[in-house]
Amino acid sequence: MTEKAAPSPGSGEDQAQLWNGPAGRAWVEGQVMMDQMLHPFQERLVAAVAAQQGERVLDVGCGTGAVTLAIARQQRPGGAVTGIDISAPMLAAAEARRNAAGLAARFLLADAENHDFPPAGFDMLVSRFGVMFFGQPVAAFANLRRATRPGGALHFFSWRGGTENSFMTLAERVAGPLLPALPPRQPGAPGQFAFADHDYVQEILRQSGWDRIDIAPAAAECRLPADQLPTYLTRFGPLGRVMERLEPAWQQDVLARLLDAFAPFIQAGEVRFTAACWQVTAKA
Ligand SMILES: C[S@@+](CC[C@H](N)C(=O)[O-])C[C@H]1O[C@@H](n2cnc3c(N)ncnc32)[C@H](O)[C@@H]1O
């Protein structure tokens, strides 16, 4: 297996640029909505940490900190949780939440792909959709394995494909013909669906030296308030990056068509959809 090319600077998809720019801004402003939507995965990761009795935990691609802080909240004395992220604005939001809650989590602004972690410094690594953005995934997961003590656990969620996650791709399918500037997703490139292929993920973990790899389908019902749907559609993902640059009238026109297309997902004032994911576990 060969490494996939890192996103080229200037392509609009350079990951550090993206998460310190428009994607980071959208996640900070939409923090409450995104945490509500992805809450089922937070619960599963917190339960996994409790089951492993992991004392020194690293949350990879922790973003605005929901999972890191939920782990901090349930940790026993002597435990420590660190969140690492490449996005300065998202980490600033995480730190503000930690300070407001008086929790003891540590946040590290660094690239998890090549950060010089203390060897074997963690008992457990977790991630909620934060590990699909590495330009060199084998090198990144080898770096994360060295940061984990022998026998320590890896537990993360990643998205399966766009076909299984029609909620995540419907907006592009509806708006694509109207917006020539909307870049098509590059299959396998760093991004939301980079880990869609089971065998690809298996190979990355095998080559980076992880053991007892298990990659199981995981589904969860996700919800967000229906009145937040316009924000979700106009701010997040590849479409969000194009929508924010449109003339207001054009934006309204595209949004109206999107809302029509998303009507089947709305029930009782909520948007509801099933997230099709992989739950991935392994041992260092
Ligand atoms: C989809 S968001 C998920 C955020 C968070 N885990 C959550 O569930 O709310 C992906 C996160 O991965 C981070 N990220 C992307 N590449 C990274 C890297 N190389 N090192 C550390 N964090 C990275 C992004 O900045 C972003 O915060």
Side-chain angles (χ1 to χ4, degrees):
M1 190 188 69
T2 52
E3 288 277 28
K4 289 177 178 158
S8 53
S11 67
E13 292 296 324
D14 174 85
Q15 296 298 320
Q17 199 181 308
L18 189 63
W19 292 105
N20 281 285
R25 279 197 301 277
W27 276 76
V28 169
E29 288 162 23
Q31 176 254 309
V32 173
M33 173 182 72
M34 294 308 274
D35 283 345
Q36 178 181 351
M37 186 172 114
L38 301 177
H39 188 73
F41 300 100
Q42 172 186 315
E43 286 191 320
R44 291 176 200 190
L45 288 173
V46 169
V49 172
Q52 294 275 338
Q53 303 192 329
E55 304 225 309
R56 300 167 303 163
V57 182
L58 179 68
D59 179 10
V60 182
C62 65
T64 56
V67 171
T68 321
L69 297 175
I71 293 168
R73 214 167 272 124
Q74 62 134 39
Q75 259 184 336
R76 291 175 305 195
V81 58
T82 303
I84 182 168
D85 205 283
I86 206 170
S87 167
M90 292 173 79
L91 267 197
E95 286 175 338
R97 296 173 77 188
R98 173 201 59 199
N99 296 345
L103 291 166
R106 175 172 169 250
F107 289 107
L108 188 58
L109 178 61
D111 187 337
E113 181 161 348
N114 50 31
H115 180 67
D116 191 10
F117 294 104
F122 296 101
D123 301 309
M124 185 167 188
L125 264 54
V126 297
S127 184
R128 183 176 74 176
F129 307 120
V131 292
M132 302 91 76
F133 306 96
F134 302 128
Q136 304 292 326
V138 173
F141 275 93
N143 192 40
L144 292 170
R145 180 185 49 74
R146 285 188 294 272
T148 312
R149 70 159 167 81
L154 171 69
H155 196 133
F156 70 80
F157 287 97
S158 60
W159 294 100
R160 287 162 69 193
T163 314
E164 293 102 318
N165 285 292
S166 61
F167 178 82
M168 294 288 167
T169 50
L170 178 60
E172 288 147 72
R173 281 181 279 129
V174 171
L178 309 169
L179 303 174
L182 186 64
R185 298 219 192 210
Q186 310 276 336
Q192 182 179 18
F193 295 124
F195 280 13
D197 183 70
H198 172 287
D199 295 351
Y200 177 64
V201 180
Q202 174 91 26
E203 229 3 58
I204 287 170
L205 293 178
R206 192 188 64 74
Q207 287 193 22
S208 54
W210 289 89
D211 202 12
R212 293 164 59 187
I213 302 162
D214 185 66
I215 305 170
E221 192 182 53
C222 296
R223 296 167 179 230
L224 62 146
D227 64 1
Q228 300 281 301
L229 185 59
T231 305
Y232 180 79
L233 294 172
T234 53
R235 298 297 312 280
F236 287 85
L239 184 61
R241 261 110 65 199
V242 174
M243 286 290 270
E244 69 176 7
R245 297 199 299 265
L246 295 184
E247 296 288 328
W250 194 7
Q251 194 182 98
Q252 284 309 315
D253 183 36
V254 175
L255 179 60
R257 294 184 202 212
L258 290 172
L259 291 174
D260 276 350
F262 276 83
F265 288 99
I266 298 180
Q267 284 172 44
E270 283 185 326
V271 177
R272 297 181 190 170
F273 67 94
T274 302
C277 302
W278 296 119
Q279 173 170 274
V280 181
T281 57
K283 296 281 185 188

